[in-house]
Amino acid sequence: MGLHFNLLTLFPEMFPGSLALSLSGRALEKRLWSYHSLNIRDFAGDRHKTVDDTPYGGGAGMVLRADVIEAALLSLGERPQRKIYLSPRGKVLNQPLVQELAAAQTDITLLCGRYEGVDQRVLDAHEFEEVSIGDYVLSGGEPAALILMDACIRLLDGVMGNEDTAGEESFSAGLLEYPHYTRPAEWTDSSGVSRKVPEVLTSGDHGKVKEWRRAQSLALTRNRRPDLLPPSS
Ligand code: ADE
């Protein structure tokens, strides 16, 4: 079982990409998640394997054809699926949406666009949600799909090496992470400046450590990302 992703793409070789390595790679081997990447070109209706055409109304670039995308989609069969088109027009991916997707009881189908876009009619006909990974434009949806998948996979049960890590995150839910330190306790950088680890962290007082980390998280969030704070704080 586990979380299953279908990928509709013109570049199926881009998957699993980086997800074959590290935590997600081990989780793939353990079948905690799986994927099936389909080459959209295999669903072209003509012998030239045409997947795109010029936009009605004129303008630059090419548009992926609705009939070709639909044929690829229908080849997946009847299994229930959440259909997502990766696009800078979509709602911006955030941790609550990642949590929701990681807990999905259905397959997740990710449509990766190229060129100028996809014929709107196939998005409408099959009720694709649109998701963006941020306010910038990539040359295709594949890296966005990999990012969405990575964010979901690390939340699956049994994926993280250190089970504490998820708990740490909920402790500071919605805030930026506090700074981390490891040995040596005193380190001289290449400019000759001696830098000590904050004393509280070597004090052995777990209550104080927790308090300090929380305060650091709050201060960082206030400084860098006040938009993340609830309106009251
Ligand atoms: N495709 C191109 N740019 C994108 C973005 N920012 N997010 C998701 N998919 C995209």
Side-chain angles (χ1 to χ4, degrees), residues 161-193:
N162 176 1
E163 294 302 333
D164 246 21
T165 314
E168 277 288 295
E169 271 177 16
S170 63
F171 149 74
S172 54
L175 298 180
L176 299 184
E177 266 209 290
Y178 52 79
H180 302 282
Y181 300 87
T182 188
R183 275 184 275 275
E186 192 169 347
W187 168 65
T188 305
D189 70 23
S190 59
S191 309
V193 178

Short mmCIF file of all heavy atoms in Angstrom, two decimals, residues 161-193:
data_model
loop_
_atom_site.label_atom_id
_atom_site.label_comp_id
_atom_site.label_asym_id
_atom_site.label_seq_id
_atom_site.Cartn_x
_atom_site.Cartn_y
_atom_site.Cartn_z
N GLY A 161 14.22 8.79 9.96
CA GLY A 161 15.05 7.95 10.81
C GLY A 161 14.77 8.20 12.27
O GLY A 161 14.52 7.29 13.04
N ASN A 162 14.76 9.48 12.62
CA ASN A 162 14.58 9.89 14.01
C ASN A 162 13.13 10.29 14.24
O ASN A 162 12.69 11.34 13.79
CB ASN A 162 15.53 11.07 14.30
CG ASN A 162 15.34 11.62 15.69
OD1 ASN A 162 14.53 11.12 16.46
ND2 ASN A 162 16.09 12.66 16.01
N GLU A 163 12.37 9.43 14.93
CA GLU A 163 10.93 9.67 15.09
C GLU A 163 10.63 10.94 15.88
O GLU A 163 9.53 11.46 15.82
CB GLU A 163 10.24 8.47 15.76
CG GLU A 163 10.26 7.21 14.90
CD GLU A 163 9.58 7.38 13.53
OE1 GLU A 163 8.68 8.24 13.42
OE2 GLU A 163 9.97 6.69 12.59
N ASP A 164 11.65 11.44 16.60
CA ASP A 164 11.50 12.66 17.38
C ASP A 164 11.30 13.88 16.48
O ASP A 164 10.68 14.85 16.87
CB ASP A 164 12.78 12.90 18.18
CG ASP A 164 12.52 12.79 19.66
OD1 ASP A 164 11.51 12.17 20.03
OD2 ASP A 164 13.34 13.32 20.43
N THR A 165 11.87 13.81 15.29
CA THR A 165 11.93 14.98 14.42
C THR A 165 10.54 15.56 14.15
O THR A 165 10.36 16.77 14.18
CB THR A 165 12.63 14.62 13.09
OG1 THR A 165 13.79 13.88 13.43
CG2 THR A 165 13.03 15.85 12.33
N ALA A 166 9.57 14.67 13.89
CA ALA A 166 8.21 15.15 13.60
C ALA A 166 7.63 15.88 14.81
O ALA A 166 7.00 16.91 14.67
CB ALA A 166 7.31 14.00 13.19
N GLY A 167 7.88 15.34 16.01
CA GLY A 167 7.40 15.95 17.24
C GLY A 167 7.98 17.34 17.45
O GLY A 167 7.26 18.28 17.79
N GLU A 168 9.28 17.46 17.22
CA GLU A 168 9.97 18.75 17.30
C GLU A 168 9.27 19.78 16.43
O GLU A 168 9.11 20.92 16.80
CB GLU A 168 11.41 18.60 16.80
CG GLU A 168 12.38 18.07 17.83
CD GLU A 168 12.69 19.11 18.89
OE1 GLU A 168 13.28 20.14 18.55
OE2 GLU A 168 12.34 18.87 20.06
N GLU A 169 8.86 19.32 15.24
CA GLU A 169 8.24 20.24 14.31
C GLU A 169 6.88 20.71 14.79
O GLU A 169 6.55 21.87 14.63
CB GLU A 169 8.10 19.58 12.94
CG GLU A 169 9.34 19.84 12.12
CD GLU A 169 9.30 19.15 10.78
OE1 GLU A 169 8.23 18.72 10.36
OE2 GLU A 169 10.37 19.04 10.19
N SER A 170 6.11 19.79 15.42
CA SER A 170 4.78 20.22 15.84
C SER A 170 4.89 21.16 17.04
O SER A 170 4.07 22.05 17.21
CB SER A 170 3.89 19.02 16.16
OG SER A 170 4.41 18.30 17.24
N PHE A 171 5.96 20.98 17.82
CA PHE A 171 6.22 21.87 18.96
C PHE A 171 6.36 23.31 18.48
O PHE A 171 5.87 24.24 19.10
CB PHE A 171 7.48 21.38 19.69
CG PHE A 171 8.31 22.44 20.35
CD1 PHE A 171 7.88 23.04 21.52
CD2 PHE A 171 9.52 22.83 19.81
CE1 PHE A 171 8.64 24.01 22.14
CE2 PHE A 171 10.29 23.79 20.41
CZ PHE A 171 9.85 24.39 21.58
N SER A 172 7.02 23.48 17.34
CA SER A 172 7.20 24.84 16.82
C SER A 172 6.33 25.05 15.59
O SER A 172 6.69 25.78 14.68
CB SER A 172 8.66 25.05 16.47
OG SER A 172 9.10 24.03 15.60
N ALA A 173 5.17 24.38 15.57
CA ALA A 173 4.31 24.39 14.38
C ALA A 173 4.06 25.81 13.88
O ALA A 173 3.70 26.69 14.63
CB ALA A 173 2.99 23.72 14.70
N GLY A 174 4.29 26.00 12.63
CA GLY A 174 3.99 27.29 12.01
C GLY A 174 5.06 28.34 12.21
O GLY A 174 4.97 29.42 11.64
N LEU A 175 6.09 28.03 13.02
CA LEU A 175 7.17 29.00 13.25
C LEU A 175 8.43 28.55 12.50
O LEU A 175 8.57 27.38 12.15
CB LEU A 175 7.50 29.10 14.74
CG LEU A 175 6.40 29.58 15.67
CD1 LEU A 175 6.91 29.63 17.12
CD2 LEU A 175 5.87 30.95 15.25
N LEU A 176 9.35 29.46 12.30
CA LEU A 176 10.65 29.09 11.71
C LEU A 176 11.46 28.34 12.76
O LEU A 176 11.27 28.53 13.97
CB LEU A 176 11.40 30.35 11.27
CG LEU A 176 10.70 31.19 10.21
CD1 LEU A 176 11.59 32.35 9.79
CD2 LEU A 176 10.30 30.37 8.99
N GLU A 177 12.36 27.50 12.30
CA GLU A 177 13.15 26.69 13.22
C GLU A 177 14.20 27.51 13.97
O GLU A 177 14.80 28.42 13.39
CB GLU A 177 13.85 25.56 12.46
CG GLU A 177 13.05 24.29 12.47
CD GLU A 177 13.98 23.08 12.39
OE1 GLU A 177 14.56 22.90 11.32
OE2 GLU A 177 14.12 22.36 13.41
N TYR A 178 14.41 27.16 15.21
CA TYR A 178 15.47 27.76 16.03
C TYR A 178 16.83 27.34 15.48
O TYR A 178 16.93 26.34 14.76
CB TYR A 178 15.30 27.32 17.49
CG TYR A 178 15.19 25.83 17.66
CD1 TYR A 178 16.33 25.02 17.62
CD2 TYR A 178 13.94 25.20 17.83
CE1 TYR A 178 16.23 23.65 17.75
CE2 TYR A 178 13.84 23.83 17.94
CZ TYR A 178 14.99 23.06 17.91
OH TYR A 178 14.91 21.71 18.01
N PRO A 179 17.92 28.06 15.83
CA PRO A 179 19.24 27.69 15.34
C PRO A 179 19.77 26.41 16.00
O PRO A 179 19.42 26.12 17.15
CB PRO A 179 20.13 28.88 15.70
CG PRO A 179 19.31 29.81 16.49
CD PRO A 179 17.92 29.29 16.62
N HIS A 180 20.58 25.67 15.25
CA HIS A 180 21.16 24.42 15.73
C HIS A 180 22.66 24.56 15.93
O HIS A 180 23.31 25.34 15.24
CB HIS A 180 20.90 23.30 14.72
CG HIS A 180 19.46 23.09 14.44
ND1 HIS A 180 18.63 22.40 15.29
CD2 HIS A 180 18.69 23.49 13.40
CE1 HIS A 180 17.41 22.39 14.78
NE2 HIS A 180 17.42 23.05 13.63
N TYR A 181 23.20 23.77 16.86
CA TYR A 181 24.65 23.76 17.15
C TYR A 181 25.09 22.34 17.45
O TYR A 181 24.32 21.55 17.99
CB TYR A 181 24.97 24.64 18.37
CG TYR A 181 24.58 26.09 18.19
CD1 TYR A 181 23.29 26.51 18.51
CD2 TYR A 181 25.48 27.02 17.70
CE1 TYR A 181 22.90 27.83 18.33
CE2 TYR A 181 25.11 28.35 17.51
CZ TYR A 181 23.82 28.75 17.84
OH TYR A 181 23.45 30.05 17.65
N THR A 182 26.34 22.02 17.09
CA THR A 182 26.92 20.75 17.52
C THR A 182 28.39 20.98 17.90
O THR A 182 28.87 22.11 17.84
CB THR A 182 26.75 19.66 16.44
OG1 THR A 182 27.16 18.40 16.99
CG2 THR A 182 27.58 19.96 15.19
N ARG A 183 29.11 19.92 18.29
CA ARG A 183 30.50 20.06 18.68
C ARG A 183 31.37 20.61 17.55
O ARG A 183 31.07 20.35 16.38
CB ARG A 183 31.03 18.70 19.14
CG ARG A 183 30.73 18.45 20.61
CD ARG A 183 31.33 17.15 21.07
NE ARG A 183 30.43 16.03 20.75
CZ ARG A 183 29.42 15.64 21.51
NH1 ARG A 183 29.15 16.26 22.66
NH2 ARG A 183 28.65 14.64 21.16
N PRO A 184 32.44 21.32 17.82
CA PRO A 184 32.96 21.66 19.14
C PRO A 184 32.18 22.82 19.80
O PRO A 184 31.59 23.64 19.10
CB PRO A 184 34.39 22.09 18.84
CG PRO A 184 34.33 22.65 17.45
CD PRO A 184 33.30 21.83 16.73
N ALA A 185 32.22 22.86 21.13
CA ALA A 185 31.51 23.89 21.90
C ALA A 185 32.11 25.28 21.64
O ALA A 185 31.40 26.28 21.74
CB ALA A 185 31.57 23.57 23.39
N GLU A 186 33.38 25.31 21.32
CA GLU A 186 34.01 26.58 20.95
C GLU A 186 34.76 26.37 19.65
O GLU A 186 35.53 25.41 19.52
CB GLU A 186 34.97 27.04 22.06
CG GLU A 186 35.42 28.46 21.85
CD GLU A 186 36.15 29.05 23.06
OE1 GLU A 186 36.07 28.45 24.15
OE2 GLU A 186 36.78 30.09 22.88
N TRP A 187 34.51 27.25 18.67
CA TRP A 187 35.07 27.08 17.33
C TRP A 187 35.60 28.42 16.83
O TRP A 187 34.93 29.44 16.97
CB TRP A 187 33.99 26.54 16.40
CG TRP A 187 34.35 26.60 14.95
CD1 TRP A 187 35.33 25.92 14.31
CD2 TRP A 187 33.70 27.40 13.94
NE1 TRP A 187 35.35 26.23 12.97
CE2 TRP A 187 34.36 27.13 12.72
CE3 TRP A 187 32.63 28.30 13.95
CZ2 TRP A 187 34.00 27.75 11.52
CZ3 TRP A 187 32.26 28.90 12.76
CH2 TRP A 187 32.94 28.63 11.56
N THR A 188 36.82 28.40 16.29
CA THR A 188 37.41 29.62 15.74
C THR A 188 37.27 29.58 14.23
O THR A 188 37.78 28.66 13.58
CB THR A 188 38.89 29.74 16.16
OG1 THR A 188 38.94 29.66 17.59
CG2 THR A 188 39.48 31.05 15.71
N ASP A 189 36.59 30.59 13.68
CA ASP A 189 36.35 30.60 12.24
C ASP A 189 37.60 31.06 11.49
O ASP A 189 38.61 31.41 12.10
CB ASP A 189 35.09 31.41 11.90
CG ASP A 189 35.27 32.91 12.11
OD1 ASP A 189 36.41 33.41 12.10
OD2 ASP A 189 34.23 33.59 12.27
N SER A 190 37.54 31.07 10.15
CA SER A 190 38.73 31.35 9.34
C SER A 190 39.22 32.78 9.49
O SER A 190 40.34 33.11 9.10
CB SER A 190 38.44 31.03 7.87
OG SER A 190 37.35 31.83 7.44
N SER A 191 38.39 33.68 10.07
CA SER A 191 38.83 35.05 10.33
C SER A 191 39.42 35.20 11.72
O SER A 191 39.74 36.31 12.15
CB SER A 191 37.66 36.02 10.18
OG SER A 191 37.01 35.83 8.97
N GLY A 192 39.54 34.11 12.47
CA GLY A 192 40.11 34.14 13.82
C GLY A 192 39.10 34.51 14.88
O GLY A 192 39.48 34.75 16.03
N VAL A 193 37.84 34.57 14.53
CA VAL A 193 36.81 34.90 15.52
C VAL A 193 36.39 33.62 16.25
O VAL A 193 36.04 32.62 15.60
CB VAL A 193 35.57 35.55 14.86
CG1 VAL A 193 34.48 35.85 15.89
CG2 VAL A 193 35.96 36.81 14.11
#
